[in-house]
């Protein structure tokens, strides 16, 4: 076998071992991380929408620009917060 | 008898079990289909439901179910001789655990990856689900209490394991930081982690840490138990990426290395079994082999905990339904091999029978300490590693298993406590919930004496509860099979055997706890007995109902029918 082919094969095998190890490392905790990320995003959503929800927000000048970004995720968020319908008149997602 | 013969016979039985019996189960009973769309594909969300390579999934499954239990159980049970333990581990793995683990994986995969708890609610009824919650709470509670005592015992008896035990935490913290903060390549980090862990074992072997007889008014054993609970409490509230995840990972790698070392040493040194095949002269106070053998060895023969892992995570990652054979059944075989290794270490690792009898001087003696001592002697003669260092390697392996299970157990139980509190309208934060969990576990550990003896006394109770959990899972699998009009004998036989042995063991233990005036354990025994009777009652009702009802359509038939209805 040519040295270059051998090297390529070794490189591929090493890559597969790495991918397998990564799966072995990360899979048992995927759900935990996904939940933690969701919780952080929920908090972020609340900060962005705080003024609209009646909570004074000193950073509203900046966060208002983020409203279009979070709009798509708003429906899932208010459902997770236990609100069957959108609590904001200006965002009537459902 | 030569231990290599025992190892070969045992391994052959389990491998044949995999190639022949699991094929029978997969084809005739569970009817696994390669074309079945598994939940990992149907509900792929990149989080819980992810199709995974079967070898990687087996690695997860095996390392999740393998803990200190398949070492501790057989290491205690060889007091009745090596043959009964060997037979129960091999026959139990082939005909009980394999059918149970494969069955729970299949049942969950056929129901969108639902957990055994949810399936119990669906097939056995709401009472079945509540029962499941009670049993899982008790299993976790006992795991936390018993494992703290196992670890403290090892740290006291093998002081060379102290540095690697606590050093492993530093290694895990380093791995967590290297991967998430510095984005290092995982194979490189793994090699560094394993080398660092073994370097710590060498350091520990050189510098044993022996505590004074009393510290802060506590014995060395009790002191370690308190420290372990405090550590487990802190570990369970830290972000998982920091400690728990890398600890699980390095522990998984260490499991394969240590198993390789142990079996390699057995093959090279081929020691003879010095313990009797049947021990006619058991120490005074040793309970009868029937039924205690069947609950003393739970993990390694059959374990309800495997059903939780199968249905909790593994079923959601099955790439093909036929992979369930390898992941579920072969996962049970892996656990059986660990238990077989423990039997060989504790019966062939001593020079004379007198030496063995000295270690097994009373029921509950020997245990994991005998595994470390005997296994260390085998590794020493097989691989030429000094006896002390060999014992340190095995002690570190056992401690890491127990500690990882304890960390996770405390964390899981915290969720149970928080959930239970929320049902009665109390919102507990994670600190308060963790303190409650630790207080209950410490109460159980120290309830039978200031030396923490309660932790080991409850070991057979842990086995019984674990078997009950397996019984509940098997009964649910039986109900599903009955609903589909398929044969159930391969499930019914282990189910009936387990329930009979569990109830019998509970009654025997009740008498012992009453005679010893140990009200705490007696109370726990009564709770478990009520749960056991309840399991039997609920299972019988569910099975008779399932038999009377018309057979449920097979999944492919159901799909065709619903497609026709839609069109």
């Amino acid at each position: 076998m040519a040295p270059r082919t051998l090297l390529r094969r070794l490189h591929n095998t090493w890559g597969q071992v790495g991918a397998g190890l990564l799966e072995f490392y990360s899979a048992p905790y995927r759900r935990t991380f996904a939940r933690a990320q969701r919780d952080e995003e929920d908090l972020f959503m609340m900060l962005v929408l705080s003024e609209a929800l009646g909570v004074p927000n000193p950073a509203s000048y900046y966060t208002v620009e983020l409203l279009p970004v979070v709009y798509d995720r708003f429906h899932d968020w208010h459902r997770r917060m236990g609100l069957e319908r959108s609590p904001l008149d200006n965002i009537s997602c459902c | 008898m030569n231990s290599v013969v025992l190892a070969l016979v045992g391994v052959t039985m389990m491998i044949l079990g995999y190639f022949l019996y699991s094929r029978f189960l997969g084809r005739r009973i569970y009817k696994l289909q390669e074309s079945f769309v598994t939940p990992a594909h149907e509900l792929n969300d990149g989080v819980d439901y992810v199709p995974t390579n079967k070898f990687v999934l087996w690695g997860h499954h095996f390392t999740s179910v393998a803990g200190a239990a398949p070492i501790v159980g057989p290491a205690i049970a060889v007091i009745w001789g090596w043959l009964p333990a060997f037979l129960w581990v091999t026959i139990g793995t082939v005909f009980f655990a394999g059918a149970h683990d494969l069955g729970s994986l299949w049942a969950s995969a056929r129901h969108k990856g639902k957990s055994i708890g949810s399936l119990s609610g669906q097939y056995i009824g709401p009472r079945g689900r509540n029962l499941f919650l009670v049993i899982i709470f008790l299993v976790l509670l006992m795991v936390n209490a018993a494992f703290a005592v196992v670890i403290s015992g090892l740290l006291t008896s093998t002081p060379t394991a102290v540095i690697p035990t606590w050093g492993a935490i530093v290694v895990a913290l380093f791995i967590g930081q290297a991967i998430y903060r510095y984005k290092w390549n995982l194979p490189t980090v793994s090699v560094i982690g394993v080398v660092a862990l073994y370097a710590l074992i060498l350091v520990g072997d050189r510098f044993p840490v022996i505590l004074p007889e009393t510290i802060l008014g506590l014995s060395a054993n009790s002191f370690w138990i308190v420290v372990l609970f405090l550590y487990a409490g802190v570990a369970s509230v830290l972000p998982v990426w920091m400690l728990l995840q890398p600890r699980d990972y390095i522990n998984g790698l260490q499991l394969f290395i240590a198993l390789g070392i142990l079996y390699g040493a057995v093959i090279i040194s081929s020691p003879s079994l010095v313990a009797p095949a049947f021990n006619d002269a058991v120490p005074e106070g040793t309970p009868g082999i029937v039924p205690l053998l069947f609950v003393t060895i739970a993990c390694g023969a059959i374990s309800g905990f495997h059903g939780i892992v199968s249905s909790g995570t593994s079923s959601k990652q099955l790439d093909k339904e036929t992979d369930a054979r390898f992941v579920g059944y072969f996962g049970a075989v892996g656990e059986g091999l660990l238990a077989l290794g423990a039997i060989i270490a504790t019966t062939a690792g001593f020079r004379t029978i007198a030496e063995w009898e000295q270690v097994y001087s009373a029921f509950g003696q020997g245990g994991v300490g005998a595994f470390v001592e005997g296994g260390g002697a085998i590794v020493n003669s097989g691989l030429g590693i000094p006896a002390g260092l060999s014992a340190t390697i095995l002690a570190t392996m056992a401690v890491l298993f127990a500690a990882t299970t304890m960390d996770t157990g405390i964390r899981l139980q915290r969720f149970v406590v928080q959930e239970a509190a929320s049902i009665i309208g109390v919102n507990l934060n994670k600190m308060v919930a963790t303190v409650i969990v630790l207080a209950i576990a410490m109460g159980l550990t120290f309830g039978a004496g200031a030396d923490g003896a309660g932790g080991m006394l409850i070991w057979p109770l842990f086995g019984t509860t674990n078997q009950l959990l397996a019984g509940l899972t098997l009964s649910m699998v039986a109900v599903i099979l009955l609903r589909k009009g398929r044969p159930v004998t391969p499930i019914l036989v282990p189910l009936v055997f387990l329930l009979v042995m569990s109830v019998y063991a509970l009654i025997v233990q009740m008498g012992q706890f009453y005679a010893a005036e140990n009200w705490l354990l007696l109370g726990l025994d009564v709770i478990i007995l009520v749960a056991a009777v309840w399991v039997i009652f609920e299972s019988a009702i569910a099975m008779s109902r399932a038999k009377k009802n018309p057979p449920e359509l097979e999944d492919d038939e159901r799909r065709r029918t619903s497609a026709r209805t839609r069109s």
Side-chain angles (χ1 to χ4, degrees):
Chain A
M1 191 184 294
R4 187 174 285 182
T5 318
L6 181 68
L7 272 178
R8 199 182 307 126
R9 281 199 180 172
L10 280 176
H11 183 76
N12 285 345
T13 311
W14 182 247
Q16 281 172 349
V17 169
L21 282 177
L22 195 64
E23 182 70 21
F24 186 59
Y25 188 85
S26 55
Y29 288 92
R30 266 200 212 110
R31 180 206 290 241
T32 314
F33 290 130
R35 283 195 175 160
Q37 186 181 2
R38 199 186 64 186
D39 289 348
E40 265 187 30
E41 282 179 357
D42 285 348
L43 181 66
F44 175 71
M45 181 80 83
M46 204 194 74
L47 286 174
V48 173
L49 295 169
S50 56
E51 190 131 297
L53 291 164
V55 181
N57 179 6
S60 61
Y61 175 75
Y62 304 98
T63 54
V64 75
E65 284 185 27
L66 295 165
L67 275 175
V69 179
V70 297
Y71 185 81
D72 287 345
R73 287 178 278 151
F74 180 75
H75 177 69
D76 289 339
W77 176 77
H78 77 71
R79 297 285 294 254
R80 275 204 300 278
M81 296 300 114
L83 305 165
E84 196 57 34
R85 299 266 163 201
S86 165
L88 303 178
D89 294 336
N90 53 342
I91 307 181
S92 49
C93 54
C94 52
Chain B
M1 186 176 174
N2 193 298
S3 59
V4 175
V5 177
L6 192 71
L8 280 178
V9 172
V11 171
T12 309
M13 281 172 76
M14 290 188 226
I15 298 292
L16 283 179
Y18 171 68
F19 282 111
L20 301 176
Y21 191 58
S22 84
R23 179 172 297 192
F24 162 75
L25 290 174
R27 284 189 181 168
R28 299 289 169 84
I29 309 295
Y30 299 126
K31 297 188 179 171
L32 305 177
Q33 291 172 16
E34 200 161 330
S35 58
F36 178 77
V37 182
T38 59
H41 289 282
E42 190 185 352
L43 308 167
N44 189 344
D45 59 0
V47 180
D48 288 335
Y49 296 86
V50 182
T52 305
N53 173 291
K54 71 174 178 179
F55 296 103
V56 175
L57 187 55
W58 177 81
H60 282 163
H61 183 80
F62 177 43
T63 50
S64 304
V65 297
I71 297 174
V72 181
I76 292 176
V78 292
I79 198 160
W80 291 293
W82 60 261
L83 190 58
F86 172 78
L87 290 175
W88 175 225
V89 163
T90 46
I91 295 172
T93 297
V94 172
F95 295 104
F96 289 59
H100 168 274
D101 295 12
L102 171 56
S104 50
L105 196 52
W106 164 79
S108 175
R110 283 271 158 173
H111 293 84
K112 298 184 187 294
K114 278 187 189 171
S115 71
I116 293 296
S118 316
L119 289 176
S120 302
Q122 186 179 334
Y123 282 96
I124 303 181
R127 284 194 304 260
R129 190 181 51 224
N130 296 341
L131 194 56
F132 177 84
L133 288 175
V134 170
I135 293 176
I136 186 75
F137 180 84
L138 290 172
V139 167
L140 288 174
L141 176 64
M142 287 188 249
V143 160
N144 296 337
F147 282 19
V149 179
V150 168
I151 302 172
S152 74
L154 275 173
L155 293 179
T156 318
S157 65
T158 320
T160 49
V162 173
I163 288 179
T165 294
W166 297 106
I169 296 168
V170 181
V171 173
L173 287 169
F174 157 76
I175 293 176
Q177 296 291 328
I179 287 171
Y180 285 104
R181 204 173 285 267
Y182 303 110
K183 314 282 180 205
W184 285 13
N185 168 287
L186 185 58
T188 313
V189 178
S190 310
V191 172
I192 296 174
V194 169
V195 170
L197 187 61
Y198 276 82
L200 282 166
I201 290 175
L202 285 172
V203 174
D205 192 53
R206 190 84 195 277
F207 303 102
V209 179
I210 302 167
L211 294 182
E213 264 182 35
T214 51
I215 311 173
L216 307 169
L218 296 167
S219 68
N221 231 17
S222 307
F223 176 78
W224 278 131
I225 293 173
V226 173
V227 171
L228 280 162
F229 275 124
L230 290 177
Y231 152 73
V234 173
S236 71
V237 294
L238 280 179
V240 293
W241 69 266
M242 209 180 263
L243 185 59
L244 286 188
Q245 188 182 28
R247 234 172 113 76
D248 276 2
Y249 176 71
I250 197 77
N251 192 35
L253 296 183
Q254 157 76 356
L255 166 66
F256 293 114
I257 296 169
L259 261 182
I261 289 177
L262 185 60
Y263 272 93
V266 168
I267 291 166
I268 295 169
S269 68
S270 62
S272 294
L273 300 165
V274 294
F278 280 103
N279 191 6
D280 297 328
V282 289
E284 204 180 331
T286 304
I289 185 168
V290 178
L292 261 288
L293 170 72
F294 304 101
V295 294
T296 304
I297 305 179
C299 300
I302 179 167
S303 161
F305 187 69
H306 295 199
I308 300 172
V309 177
S310 291
S311 64
T313 52
S314 304
S315 65
K316 297 176 179 68
Q317 298 174 66
L318 270 186
D319 184 23
K320 288 185 282 193
E321 195 184 37
T322 42
D323 290 352
R325 244 186 89 203
F326 185 74
V327 177
Y329 197 98
F330 205 67
V333 168
E335 186 97 327
L337 289 177
L338 193 55
L340 181 59
I343 292 173
I344 292 172
T346 50
T347 54
F350 297 88
R351 274 174 301 181
T352 59
I353 189 163
E355 213 175 87
W356 182 82
E357 279 173 347
Q358 203 178 350
V359 172
Y360 283 90
S361 56
F363 184 69
Q365 294 296 307
V368 73
F371 168 76
V372 169
E373 195 183 330
I378 292 174
V379 173
N380 168 243
S381 65
L383 303 179
I385 300 172
L389 183 58
S390 305
T392 307
I393 293 173
L394 293 182
T396 307
M397 176 186 107
V399 167
L400 289 186
F401 275 155
T404 313
T405 313
M406 214 180 133
D407 297 343
T408 314
I410 299 247
R411 191 161 162 271
L412 289 176
Q413 202 158 15
R414 185 184 84 214
F415 294 144
V416 176
V417 168
Q418 281 177 313
E419 207 172 307
S422 72
I423 291 171
I424 54 168
V426 179
N427 195 10
L428 290 180
N429 71 29
K430 68 179 176 185
M431 293 298 172
V432 176
T434 306
V435 169
I436 292 172
V437 168
L438 291 178
I440 297 172
M442 284 174 88
L444 194 57
T445 311
F446 291 109
D451 57 347
M456 272 339 276
L457 277 176
I458 58 166
W459 184 261
L461 273 183
F462 159 73
T464 320
T465 320
N466 208 0
Q467 305 298 46
L468 277 179
L469 198 56
L472 192 58
T473 306
L474 282 173
S475 59
M476 194 206 60
V477 172
V479 170
I480 297 175
L481 289 171
L482 280 170
R483 292 279 297 272
K484 290 182 184 297
R486 295 194 198 165
V488 286
T489 315
I491 305 301
L492 271 188
V493 172
L495 169 62
V496 171
F497 184 83
L498 274 188
L499 294 179
V500 168
M501 287 303 157
S502 303
V503 172
Y504 188 5
L506 282 167
I507 293 168
V508 170
Q509 285 176 315
M510 194 183 280
Q512 289 168 351
F513 294 143
Y514 181 75
E517 297 185 355
N518 194 331
W519 310 122
L520 180 75
L521 295 183
L522 182 66
L524 206 55
D525 193 305
V526 170
I527 293 171
I528 300 167
L529 185 61
V530 170
V533 174
W534 202 352
V535 166
I536 296 166
F537 184 65
E538 290 292 341
S539 305
I541 292 177
M543 274 184 252
S544 118
R545 208 170 39 215
K547 212 164 180 189
K548 278 181 202 155
N549 289 344
E552 197 179 62
L553 289 178
E554 289 293 346
D555 299 291
D556 45 352
E557 257 181 83
R558 198 163 50 206
R559 281 183 187 188
R560 278 199 295 274
T561 313
S562 64
R564 273 202 301 274
T565 317
R566 275 201 303 274
S567 63

